[in-house]
Amino acid sequence: MENVAKPWPALWSLVIGFFMILIDTTIVSVANPRIMEGLNTDINAVIWVTSAYLLSYAVPLLITGRLGDRFGPKNLYLIGLVVFTLASLWCGLSGDITMLIAARAVQGLGAAMMTPQTMAVITRIFPPDRRGAAMGLWGATAGMAVLVGPILGGVLVDGLGWEWIFFVNVPIGIVAFVMVTRFVPKLTTHSHSFDVAGVVLSAVGMFLLVFGLQEGQTYKWGTVTGAVTVWGLIIAGLVVLVLFVLWQWLLGRRGGEPLLPLALFKDRNFSLGNTTIMVVGFTVTAFPLPTIFYYQVVRGLTPTQSALLMIPMAVISGGLAPVVGKLIDRANPRWFASFGLVCMAGALFWTASLLRPDTPIWMFLLPSALQGVANGFIWGPVSNATTRNLEPRQAGAGSGVFNTTRQIGAVLGSAAIAALIQARLAAELPAAPAGAPANQASMNGALPEALHAGFSTAMGQSIVLPACAILVGAVVAMFFAKPRSVEGWGGAAAKGGAAAKEAPHGRDTDAAGASRQDAGRK
């Protein structure tokens, strides 16, 4: 652990940029119709505006986490922030869809450079007995961003035009750059060797897997081009990732330094936490789509009006997460995380039961509030439990793994919910006279009233999937290990941090570091 006199200003500086890049994963969805109109393009092309961002965001996370360890998290964060901000300006100035897609890909790369550094800095500058409160703020930021994105997007698109969902990032990026430069300290770097083979294998495997999952619905899970199929890409991606893991194991056995230290997964909380955050990423990406479709197609709400129904969730989550963060330093985080995950499942089942054509709109504010409670209890405890045993030299790698699994969960959720919605619509809605599915009319908001009941039923059935998934996360979270006492934990961490500074090439050779790892496995 590093000695930092004022860690909170440093964290707030990083959180501004972190909030901005997370918002950009959801803000574009409400602007898609206006982008189609403004750039004179079609739905298949405009989907790539989001797909290009998610793809270039998810693929490099393992690599950028390790680069933060090597060159310093502050340096890599600032480079990523500059790339992200300039790419945002490029997005807003784009005159055609191809240019916009290219700019979004560059924007995603900037986000991938920034994201792992936030958790790495928390792990390194906050003592263990205060890290829960810091993770609470990080968790509130992550939870709020998922919810604020659609609301802010609706307001900007309706009021100023689609370009402003990107232009708004420019002044925020400038403020964040000044704050990070001033308040975030330069932390000790660790001279990692660079695993070139690991970088290539992880990048290729992640690209094939994420592309296949993300674009499967676009190609109807069939042929992409020539003899290449969606399932072929997914299987190839999994094979390459297996080869990546085998190479990491072999490199570690030979005394080298792998890109992904597999020893991280010997810590029970790290393994369980990554499983849990993948389920959370799946759920928070999947559940908004059926509800937004219902609000706009069946109830006729505008994008802004439908997004405003998430306000109770955003307000309660933002207010509750910091409070929970302070409490998890004194108790086992599994109780907080499991409670939040169960609340989320309950809120989603509740929402699914309300999806009928005649349900009063105000009733949807109630499960939205329960989702706010759930978010307040999920992000901080899960993040803190996952990363609290990481050594300083492994903070970047661990954060990269954590954020990668969250993004993979999000891609899985996006692909699964899209496929399920289409399947349930085909089952619940009759075919049109010409033989086309009746739900095609819904894409233009022209669904006949006679079909509202079937459409609502299909959306409600779709929400059951993320509701069941998050229950699995609740079961996994129940097995988080009991935390050590604050006194012993903090003392060991402090000794470990001092020894880490003295050890050559950033290697931890102190007994305290070893004892922490052993305790984490129990």
Side-chain angles (χ1 to χ4, degrees):
M1 189 188 69
E2 310 275 346
N3 235 342
V4 177
K6 297 181 179 179
W8 282 103
L11 177 58
W12 276 108
S13 304
L14 294 169
V15 157
I16 293 173
F18 181 52
F19 185 76
M20 179 175 63
I21 61 178
L22 287 181
I23 278 183
D24 265 59
T25 62
T26 58
I27 196 172
V28 175
S29 59
V30 298
N32 281 340
R34 299 287 179 86
I35 293 175
M36 288 173 58
E37 180 183 349
L39 298 181
N40 192 26
T41 187
D42 57 25
I43 184 66
N44 289 329
V46 84
I47 285 174
W48 266 98
V49 175
T50 297
S51 297
Y53 178 81
L54 291 176
L55 197 60
S56 62
Y57 184 11
V59 169
L61 280 170
L62 276 179
I63 302 165
T64 56
R66 176 50 62 92
L67 289 175
D69 285 340
R70 175 65 182 86
F71 299 105
K74 177 178 180 177
N75 295 331
L76 209 67
Y77 185 94
L78 286 174
I79 294 171
L81 182 59
V82 170
V83 171
F84 185 92
T85 304
L86 293 178
S88 297
L89 180 61
W90 182 13
C91 287
L93 296 175
S94 297
D96 59 67
I97 192 66
T98 303
M99 185 178 292
L100 179 57
I101 291 171
R104 283 284 280 171
V106 176
Q107 194 184 37
L109 179 60
M113 297 175 72
M114 296 166 63
T115 299
Q117 318 315 324
T118 58
M119 288 185 64
V121 170
I122 292 173
T123 303
R124 294 179 62 178
I125 69 175
F126 281 89
D129 59 327
R130 295 169 58 196
R131 200 175 295 158
M135 283 295 183
L137 175 60
W138 185 92
T141 303
M144 285 281 288
V146 173
L147 312 175
V148 170
I151 299 173
L152 181 60
V155 172
L156 290 174
V157 170
D158 288 342
L160 297 172
W162 67 265
E163 298 89 347
W164 282 89
I165 65 174
F166 302 114
F167 286 149
V168 72
N169 290 333
V170 176
I172 297 175
I174 293 172
V175 170
F177 186 90
V178 172
M179 292 185 66
V180 170
T181 301
R182 180 176 179 182
F183 294 115
V184 176
K186 285 187 177 293
L187 301 176
T188 304
T189 58
H190 304 282
S191 55
H192 299 285
S193 59
F194 207 64
D195 176 16
V196 177
V199 168
V200 173
L201 287 172
S202 67
V204 171
M206 284 292 296
F207 177 83
L208 292 173
L209 178 63
V210 173
F211 182 89
L213 292 171
Q214 191 168 282
E215 301 304 316
Q217 196 61 40
T218 302
Y219 294 101
K220 303 186 184 305
W221 301 97
T223 301
V224 177
T225 179
V228 179
T229 65
V230 169
W231 286 109
L233 290 174
I234 293 173
I235 292 171
L238 291 172
V239 170
V240 173
L241 287 176
V242 169
L243 292 176
F244 166 69
V245 173
L246 290 174
W247 168 247
Q248 299 300 283
W249 175 80
L250 182 61
L251 188 62
R253 293 274 293 181
R254 291 177 173 178
E257 194 167 10
L259 179 67
L260 172 62
L262 296 179
L264 290 173
F265 292 94
K266 292 181 180 180
D267 181 82
R268 184 168 77 183
N269 283 357
F270 187 82
S271 297
L272 295 176
N274 275 281
T275 304
T276 304
I277 202 64
M278 180 181 288
V279 174
V280 172
F282 180 102
T283 300
V284 300
T285 302
F287 86 80
L289 193 59
T291 54
I292 293 294
F293 271 145
Y294 166 82
Y295 292 148
Q296 296 185 19
V297 174
V298 176
R299 307 311 294 268
L301 301 183
T302 66
T304 302
Q305 289 171 334
S306 56
L308 288 175
L309 290 173
M310 299 182 181
I311 283 182
M313 180 164 44
V315 171
I316 294 175
S317 173
L320 192 58
V323 177
V324 173
K326 294 179 181 179
L327 295 175
I328 58 178
D329 287 327
R330 303 180 179 89
N332 195 328
R334 71 180 177 188
W335 304 118
F336 298 95
S338 297
F339 174 76
L341 293 162
V342 169
C343 284
M344 178 64 79
L348 296 186
F349 281 120
W350 189 359
T351 300
S353 71
L354 294 176
L355 293 190
R356 301 185 302 271
D358 57 350
T359 301
I361 286 295
W362 67 266
M363 290 189 66
F364 289 96
L365 297 173
L366 302 179
S368 176
L370 183 57
Q371 288 174 31
V373 173
N375 273 293
F377 278 86
I378 290 174
W379 293 93
V382 172
S383 305
N384 189 41
T386 306
T387 61
R388 67 187 175 196
N389 294 332
L390 294 182
E391 298 295 331
R393 68 192 306 269
Q394 295 176 328
S399 178
V401 173
F402 185 80
N403 284 285
T404 299
T405 54
R406 178 174 58 83
Q407 281 299 107
I408 292 175
V411 172
L412 285 169
S414 177
I417 201 67
L420 183 58
I421 284 176
Q422 290 209 351
R424 295 321 306 156
L425 284 173
E428 295 295 334
L429 298 184
N439 61 291
Q440 290 298 319
S442 70
M443 300 306 293
N444 298 319
L447 190 69
E449 188 173 350
L451 299 179
H452 283 187
F455 191 94
S456 301
T457 299
M459 295 303 103
Q461 292 169 345
S462 300
I463 292 178
V464 172
L465 174 63
C468 291
I470 205 72
L471 278 178
V472 174
V475 174
V476 172
M478 282 298 297
F479 291 92
F480 279 137
K482 184 179 179 180
R484 295 178 293 278
S485 65
V486 171
E487 291 78 14
W489 189 12
K495 294 175 185 176
K501 291 179 183 178
E502 296 170 4
H505 307 298
R507 298 184 183 275
D508 295 319
T509 57
D510 60 306
S515 68
R516 276 199 308 281
Q517 291 179 342
D518 292 339
R521 301 184 190 119
K522 294 179 180 179

